[in-house]
Amino acid sequence: MARLTATTGTLPLLSGLAAATALSGLAIFAVVQSGCDDPGSYRPRDGVLELVGGCVQPDDLPVSPQLPAQDPGSLGGTQPALSP
């Protein structure tokens, strides 16, 4: 007769289901509390899909640092695969 013990795999199964339920609840709570009234929509424009609207503003996006320009004659130069 099978009992509810860790050797039968019931305890890990129940703890996994409890963790999945808790994480799903937290994800739903985060989405509801995000405060975004306009989720945006994708619309075709010049052969590509463009996101119109939404809650992300240009100021929200991180700016990647500009790499200093290298002199083509210096060590390293440009990569041969990228040179014209």
Side-chain angles (χ1 to χ4, degrees), residues 36-45 48-56:
C36 182
D37 294 330
D38 178 22
S41 62
Y42 288 99
R43 297 187 183 152
R45 178 178 166 195
V48 296
L49 287 177
E50 180 181 44
L51 177 63
V52 178
C55 296
V56 177

